[in-house]
Amino acid sequence: DEIREFARGVVESEIEKHAADGIGRVDYALANGGAAVVRHSEAYNVGRGNWYMLTSRNGVHPKANLMLNPSFGEPGQCFPLKGSSGFVQIRLRSEIIPEAITLEHVAKSVAYDRSSAPKDCRISGWLQGKNTDSLIDTENRFLLAEFRYDLEKSNAQTFNVLTSAGSGVIDTIRFDFTSNHGSPSHTCIYRLRVHGYQSDSVSMMAIEP
Amino acid sequence: DEIREFARGVVESEIEKHAADGIGRVDYALANGGAAVVRHSEAYNVGRGNWYMLTSRNGVHPKANLMLNPSFGEPGQCFPLKGSSGFVQIRLRSEIIPEAITLEHVAKSVAYDRSSAPKDCRISGWLQGKNTDSLIDTENRFLLAEFRYDLEKSNAQTFNVLTSAGSGVIDTIRFDFTSNHGSPSHTCIYRLRVHGYQSDSVSMMAIEP
Amino acid sequence: DEIREFARGVVESEIEKHAADGIGRVDYALANGGAAVVRHSEAYNVGRGNWYMLTSRNGVHPKANLMLNPSFGEPGQCFPLKGSSGFVQIRLRSEIIPEAITLEHVAKSVAYDRSSAPKDCRISGWLQGKNTDSLIDTENRFLLAEFRYDLEKSNAQTFNVLTSAGSGVIDTIRFDFTSNHGSPSHTCIYRLRVHGYQSDSVSMMAIEP
Ligand SMILES: [K+]
Ligand SMILES: [K+]
Ligand SMILES: [K+]
């Protein structure tokens, strides 16, 4: 009976986590929460000649925010970039002290091909503030994480922020990938999440939901 | 081995329930099933200046039906109303004898802030029929449930309909909240469901899906 | 402890499968993956007078692809066809050697009514290639599967392809249903998936994602 209770408990907590956007962790890069892709390397045109795929706002591809929103786990719900290296820059929902990054690709069991998954990755972050100029002093950027996305592990992989990053406040991150898992033509990003917390002073200034 | 079978059984039935719109219970307030928000107190303008957010049909905000459809459990998929008290009126998919109400907010683990969750709630119901006038004799309204949404419990909370409501047939409900969990500016409704059954005569008249 | 580990293992693998588009199996009929409904018997107009429901491309109803994409498991996310018999023809994402077919209806626990579920079904497949003429020699069609959708079993039911089909390459399938579970007016198809694999030569020609 004790075991039965235990089994039930494990099931309930795992399903609760799954039901809470997959991993049960706050995501400050969620597009529905106010985050947005603000810059990226050249998009890969998977297009089937659809003209609307070519329109964009400020050079940001209309499909870019697919990488900042959840999906059912089926193939195709990603943002494809040209080549095997590139970058994406994301304005977060609010200023936070970052703690971890989650990179997700389509699950092995339903994928047609996973050679487009990013491999060697590097995340940096900084406080852009109201500075609308996209350039910012490199000395103010933090290296948040460097990791390799591993095709043999679970498809959503979480990496803690380096202690060297201290506890600096950021509102923007840049995701650079320098290689992928074999595709010469493109690299697909299914979802990138940024976890952390708002410091007291920060959250006091941001009453809006 | 017996235990293993048991564990597998628990897992399968819990996942089946989860896969069936989260709780595995028929919902007569589902927008995709034909239900609709028909009236509400003033909407809260979360807007980022998007003009389309301001358009509406018959005074009903275009975002209102977000509270009658499923989502991935991420923050933002809700209908925000101004202030800490207010109401929403919902035309159900069909005439039913109501049995229970489920109120759902975003899960604690992924929420930015849960002060906008409704707290003290009251649900009433009646048969509006073809009477398009939104007023109806108060004596014909049933009090279906009175409850407090508890932030410490599971994020989808189900409340049985009061026995005092008898087994009257209804096609419309009104959800009133008189307080929330702290936000002075707005209250968010993630999802409201109405469970029950169609009486034999009722279902005979409604052959449509 | 051994049992606890076992319970945790079962839970994790079942949730992983669920998170991977429900059943954790590659689907070559996924609309988001490039597949499309190309022909069908007359659609059933559930419509509420919405003119946009009536527009179509090449005689294919705009709602048709609902049956080739995932949903939350709630009622309504289906393609309704007129009457109790009919057919749908689907161009797959790529050429494959088919292994199994999955037919899914809304789960019993959340359904308003399941009399619109298909009952006696038959799937055939062939290689259409660049032949845009919708007719093809009947002798080149394979019977892939014949089955009855059973309302008492799990709502997603998988049927292996008949061994008589050999291992012929196909890029198109046709789903015929000759009866449903009781509705005289219409039959709803929630989702149809086609499982299989690309032969080496086939996948070499198809580098695109
Ligand atoms: K996505
Ligand atoms: K919702
Ligand atoms: K569907």
Side-chain angles (χ1 to χ4, degrees):
Chain A
D1 279 7
E2 192 198 336
I3 302 288
R4 290 180 176 216
E5 273 319 291
F6 172 79
R8 201 180 294 280
V10 170
V11 172
E12 282 170 6
S13 85
E14 288 298 310
I15 287 182
E16 201 166 292
K17 214 162 70 181
H18 170 72
D21 195 14
I23 61 170
R25 211 163 162 177
V26 184
D27 172 19
Y28 288 94
L30 181 71
N32 290 337
V37 170
V38 291
R39 272 184 78 202
H40 55 76
S41 55
E42 191 179 350
Y44 175 69
N45 200 341
V46 208
R48 307 186 172 104
N50 295 328
W51 64 268
Y52 62 88
M53 296 296 285
L54 306 171
T55 62
S56 64
R57 3 160 212 104
N58 305 321
V60 175
H61 194 278
K63 239 187 153 178
N65 279 355
L66 271 183
M67 62 172 279
L68 303 184
N69 274 331
S71 65
F72 290 102
E74 82 275 25
Q77 301 304 307
C78 60
F79 179 42
L81 294 161
K82 205 169 179 177
S84 59
S85 68
F87 77 93
V88 172
Q89 196 168 306
I90 297 156
R91 177 75 176 212
L92 303 178
R93 160 198 161 81
S94 63
E95 297 182 5
I96 60 159
I97 294 158
E99 290 181 308
I101 304 289
T102 297
L103 179 62
E104 190 173 343
H105 199 72
V106 64
K108 184 179 189 174
S109 60
V110 294
Y112 302 122
D113 174 2
R114 295 192 300 159
S115 67
S116 70
K119 194 172 183 182
D120 291 298
C121 305
R122 184 185 161 92
I123 313 265
S124 51
W126 64 89
L127 190 62
Q128 181 88 34
K130 304 208 164 176
N131 184 352
T132 53
D133 183 3
S134 64
L135 297 173
I136 201 140
D137 292 343
T138 347
E139 63 196 63
N140 292 322
R141 299 193 180 196
F142 305 99
L143 173 65
L144 299 181
E146 263 184 316
F147 56 86
R148 174 170 287 190
Y149 184 82
D150 184 343
L151 291 184
E152 297 310 311
K153 293 192 179 154
S154 161
N155 68 316
Q157 295 172 20
T158 301
F159 304 91
N160 288 330
V161 161
L162 296 167
T163 52
S164 64
S167 52
V169 172
I170 63 167
D171 62 8
T172 304
I173 68 131
R174 180 178 157 126
F175 169 58
D176 283 278
F177 53 96
T178 56
S179 67
N180 69 17
H181 283 278
S183 169
S185 56
H186 65 289
T187 303
C188 284
I189 310 175
Y190 272 77
R191 185 153 176 211
L192 188 73
R193 312 189 203 195
V194 179
H195 314 295
Y197 59 96
Q198 293 182 281
S199 75
D200 277 2
S201 60
V202 169
S203 58
M204 271 167 153
M205 288 184 294
I207 304 171
E208 300 294 295
Chain B
D1 279 7
E2 192 199 334
I3 302 289
R4 293 182 175 215
E5 273 319 291
F6 172 79
R8 201 180 294 281
V10 170
V11 173
E12 283 170 5
S13 85
E14 288 298 311
I15 287 183
E16 201 166 292
K17 216 162 70 181
H18 171 71
D21 195 12
I23 61 170
R25 210 162 162 177
V26 184
D27 172 19
Y28 289 94
L30 181 70
N32 290 338
V37 170
V38 290
R39 271 184 79 202
H40 56 76
S41 54
E42 191 179 349
Y44 175 68
N45 201 341
V46 209
R48 308 187 171 101
N50 295 327
W51 64 269
Y52 63 88
M53 295 296 285
L54 306 171
T55 62
S56 65
R57 0 159 216 103
N58 305 322
V60 175
H61 194 278
K63 239 187 152 178
N65 279 355
L66 272 181
M67 63 171 279
L68 303 184
N69 273 330
S71 64
F72 289 101
E74 82 275 25
Q77 301 303 309
C78 61
F79 180 40
L81 294 161
K82 206 169 179 177
S84 58
S85 67
F87 77 93
V88 173
Q89 196 168 304
I90 298 157
R91 179 76 177 212
L92 303 178
R93 161 198 161 81
S94 63
E95 296 182 6
I96 60 159
I97 294 156
E99 290 182 308
I101 304 287
T102 298
L103 178 62
E104 190 173 343
H105 199 73
V106 64
K108 184 179 188 173
S109 59
V110 294
Y112 302 122
D113 174 2
R114 294 192 300 157
S115 67
S116 71
K119 193 172 182 182
D120 291 298
C121 305
R122 185 185 162 91
I123 313 265
S124 51
W126 64 90
L127 190 62
Q128 181 87 35
K130 304 208 165 175
N131 184 351
T132 53
D133 182 3
S134 62
L135 297 172
I136 202 140
D137 292 341
T138 346
E139 63 196 63
N140 292 322
R141 299 192 180 197
F142 306 98
L143 173 64
L144 299 180
E146 262 184 318
F147 57 86
R148 175 170 286 192
Y149 184 82
D150 185 341
L151 291 184
E152 298 309 311
K153 294 193 179 154
S154 161
N155 68 316
Q157 296 173 20
T158 300
F159 304 92
N160 287 330
V161 161
L162 295 167
T163 51
S164 64
S167 52
V169 172
I170 64 167
D171 63 7
T172 304
I173 67 132
R174 180 178 158 125
F175 169 57
D176 282 278
F177 53 96
T178 56
S179 66
N180 69 16
H181 284 278
S183 167
S185 56
H186 64 289
T187 303
C188 284
I189 310 175
Y190 273 77
R191 186 154 176 209
L192 188 73
R193 312 190 202 194
V194 179
H195 315 296
Y197 58 95
Q198 292 182 280
S199 75
D200 277 3
S201 59
V202 169
S203 59
M204 271 169 153
M205 288 182 295
I207 304 171
E208 300 293 296
Chain C
D1 279 9
E2 193 198 334
I3 302 289
R4 292 181 175 215
E5 273 318 292
F6 172 80
R8 201 181 294 280
V10 170
V11 173
E12 282 169 6
S13 85
E14 288 297 312
I15 287 183
E16 200 166 291
K17 216 163 70 181
H18 170 71
D21 196 12
I23 61 171
R25 211 164 161 175
V26 184
D27 172 19
Y28 289 93
L30 181 71
N32 290 337
V37 170
V38 290
R39 272 184 78 202
H40 56 77
S41 54
E42 190 179 350
Y44 175 68
N45 201 341
V46 208
R48 307 184 173 103
N50 295 327
W51 64 268
Y52 62 88
M53 295 295 286
L54 306 171
T55 61
S56 64
R57 5 161 211 101
N58 304 323
V60 175
H61 195 278
K63 237 187 153 178
N65 280 355
L66 271 183
M67 63 172 278
L68 304 184
N69 274 330
S71 65
F72 289 101
E74 83 274 24
Q77 301 304 307
C78 61
F79 179 41
L81 294 161
K82 206 168 179 178
S84 58
S85 67
F87 77 93
V88 173
Q89 197 167 305
I90 298 157
R91 179 75 176 213
L92 303 178
R93 160 198 161 82
S94 63
E95 298 182 4
I96 60 160
I97 294 157
E99 290 182 308
I101 303 287
T102 297
L103 178 62
E104 190 173 344
H105 199 73
V106 64
K108 184 179 188 173
S109 60
V110 294
Y112 302 123
D113 175 2
R114 294 191 301 157
S115 67
S116 70
K119 193 171 182 181
D120 291 298
C121 304
R122 185 186 161 93
I123 313 266
S124 51
W126 64 89
L127 190 62
Q128 182 87 33
K130 305 207 166 176
N131 184 351
T132 52
D133 182 3
S134 62
L135 296 172
I136 201 139
D137 292 343
T138 345
E139 62 197 64
N140 293 321
R141 298 193 181 197
F142 305 98
L143 173 65
L144 299 180
E146 261 183 319
F147 57 86
R148 174 170 288 191
Y149 184 82
D150 185 341
L151 291 184
E152 297 309 311
K153 294 193 179 155
S154 161
N155 68 315
Q157 296 173 20
T158 300
F159 304 92
N160 287 330
V161 162
L162 296 167
T163 51
S164 64
S167 52
V169 172
I170 63 167
D171 62 8
T172 304
I173 67 131
R174 180 178 157 125
F175 168 58
D176 282 278
F177 53 96
T178 56
S179 66
N180 69 16
H181 284 278
S183 168
S185 56
H186 64 290
T187 303
C188 284
I189 311 175
Y190 272 77
R191 185 153 176 210
L192 188 73
R193 313 190 202 195
V194 179
H195 314 296
Y197 58 96
Q198 293 182 282
S199 74
D200 278 3
S201 59
V202 169
S203 59
M204 271 168 153
M205 288 183 295
I207 304 172
E208 300 293 295

